[in-house]
Amino acid sequence: MPVADSEIIFGAYTEYTGLRFALFLLAEYAGIVVLCGLTTVLFLGGWHGPWGADGLGWVWTLLKTAILAFVVIWLRVTYPRLREDQLQKLSWTLLVPLSLAQIALTGVVKVVFL
């Protein structure tokens, strides 16, 4: 879970100051950029642009990564984070039954249609 930047007690980072604290935060945002880069390459077409100009593939990759990272960071700072108990309640009451239903539906589709 992300650490709330606006809280007085900053979780495990309370003991760090100066450069160590800055490097922890930099590593967190670098991880966001790396995951957005992987998402761009694996799911958003990577270097392919909308007009077929393959000579500028690196520009399209950087542009898609930057837009996706902007959206992720924007959503992260806009919405409040869930507490541990709220996250566990969401997981057990919604996400686990939904995943089990998806597994059952996939099994039914595989047996009936294939």
Side-chain angles (χ1 to χ4, degrees), residues 24-90:
F24 275 119
L25 290 182
L26 181 67
E28 209 169 315
Y29 285 105
I32 290 173
V33 172
V34 167
L35 285 177
C36 289
L38 283 172
T39 303
T40 296
V41 170
L42 296 175
F43 299 109
L44 298 179
W47 53 91
H48 297 293
W51 300 291
D54 289 332
L56 298 174
W58 62 275
V59 174
W60 288 114
T61 304
L62 288 178
L63 184 67
K64 290 176 188 179
T65 301
I67 290 171
L68 193 60
F70 174 76
V71 169
V72 167
I73 293 170
W74 184 19
L75 289 174
R76 180 180 169 185
V77 299
T78 302
Y79 293 109
R81 68 184 178 114
L82 295 174
R83 293 188 323 252
E84 295 288 335
D85 62 324
Q86 293 171 333
L87 185 65
Q88 287 180 2
K89 183 180 178 184
L90 173 72

Side-chain angles (χ1 to χ4, degrees), residues 7-28:
E7 291 180 357
I8 295 174
I9 303 299
F10 205 55
Y13 303 131
T14 305
E15 301 167 353
Y16 298 103
T17 60
L19 186 61
R20 290 182 184 159
F21 181 73
L23 288 176
F24 275 119
L25 290 182
L26 181 67
E28 209 169 315

Side-chain angles (χ1 to χ4, degrees), residues 94-106:
L94 181 70
L95 298 178
V96 170
L98 187 66
S99 65
L100 292 174
Q102 182 180 5
I103 290 172
L105 180 67
T106 303

